[in-house]
């Protein structure tokens, strides 16, 4: 890959080295996915910092955020939480137990199913997830700062196109 006059980063050097060493291969995916991978590492660090500042872990944020997004009384069935967070039933039981002990969620009987329960966000849980989400958005804005705002939607559209085959959602 030859230098094009654009701003360079370390992935350019990596791509050039692979192109030099393996000219028989189309290494174009390296330029895309190495950057995505590096951005993912920066995002992971930003998430960790945002959540640590609020005294929670990423898995706690995931459960609390699912409840917060539910709106209304901020409650979901354990089954719905499992689908929202992509964990096993046993893992979710453990997570709800731990969040309950921290005062972030409560279990309540499900009025629609006498055998079922609903997991409800407490005011303390709502405060911590709201604060963590605000911190996360601030950190994500920093990660996007070098990209003009009018290109954010274009980037989101391109990434959506890559992710749709993995999402299980119908293609439009």
């Amino acid at each position: 890959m030859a230098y094009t006059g654009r701003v360079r980063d370390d992935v350019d050097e990596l791509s050039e080295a692979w192109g030099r060493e393996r000219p028989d291969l189309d290494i174009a995916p390296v330029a895309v996915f190495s950057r995505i991978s590096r951005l993912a590492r920066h995002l992971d660090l930003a998430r960790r910092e945002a959540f640590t500042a609020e005294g929670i872990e990423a898995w706690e944020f995931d459960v609390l955020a699912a409840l917060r997004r539910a709106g209304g009384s901020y409650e979901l069935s354990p089954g719905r939480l499992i689908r929202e967070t992509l964990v096993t039933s046993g893992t979710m039981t453990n997570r709800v137990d731990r969040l309950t002990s921290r005062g972030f969620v409560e279990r309540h009987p499900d009025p629609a199913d006498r055998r079922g329960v609903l997991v409800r966000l407490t005011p303390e849980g709502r405060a911590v997830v709201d604060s963590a989400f605000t911190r996360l958005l601030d950190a994500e804005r920093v990660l996007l700062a070098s990209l003009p705002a009018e290109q954010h939607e274009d980037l989101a559209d391109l990434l959506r196109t890559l992710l749709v085959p993995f999402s299980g959602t119908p293609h439009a």
Side-chain angles (χ1 to χ4, degrees):
M1 224 179 228
Y3 178 62
T4 62
R6 296 180 182 151
V7 173
R8 290 178 55 84
D9 64 8
D10 48 350
V11 174
D12 290 313
E13 293 176 23
L14 183 141
S15 296
E16 289 168 2
W18 274 118
R20 187 177 58 251
E21 295 301 316
R22 292 298 311 266
D24 57 312
L25 297 176
D26 173 11
I27 53 101
V30 170
V32 174
F33 292 107
S34 290
R35 287 184 174 96
I36 290 173
S37 176
R38 289 162 192 246
L39 281 169
R41 280 189 235 141
H42 289 287
L43 179 58
D44 285 343
L45 289 172
R47 286 174 58 92
R48 190 174 310 132
E49 288 176 18
F51 303 154
T52 299
E54 296 302 323
I56 62 173
E57 296 180 42
W59 68 264
E60 291 174 301
F61 177 81
D62 290 343
V63 175
L64 297 174
L67 292 166
R68 181 66 168 98
R69 289 190 311 266
S73 57
Y74 307 111
E75 61 186 16
L76 294 171
S77 69
R80 179 72 187 270
L81 279 171
I82 289 167
R83 287 189 299 280
E84 292 279 330
T85 60
L86 305 175
V87 299
T88 66
S89 174
T91 298
M92 185 53 67
T93 298
N94 181 275
R95 289 180 176 186
V96 170
D97 288 346
R98 291 172 68 183
L99 289 167
T100 299
S101 72
R102 295 197 64 191
F104 294 151
V105 302
E106 300 170 331
R107 286 183 175 94
H108 292 276
D110 184 344
D113 177 1
R114 289 183 22 198
R115 295 174 300 160
V117 298
L118 294 172
V119 179
R120 184 178 302 154
L121 194 61
T122 64
E124 295 81 8
R126 182 176 173 183
V128 76
V129 73
D130 283 354
S131 185
F133 187 55
T134 299
R135 285 180 187 272
L136 177 59
L137 286 175
D138 290 343
E140 289 177 345
R141 281 187 196 91
V142 169
L143 291 174
L144 285 172
S146 61
L147 188 66
E150 58 273 4
Q151 291 181 353
H152 292 186
E153 189 173 337
D154 293 338
L155 178 59
D157 287 342
L158 291 168
L159 293 170
R160 181 182 304 107
T161 299
L162 288 176
L163 285 172
V164 162
F166 305 101
S167 70
T169 9
H171 304 252

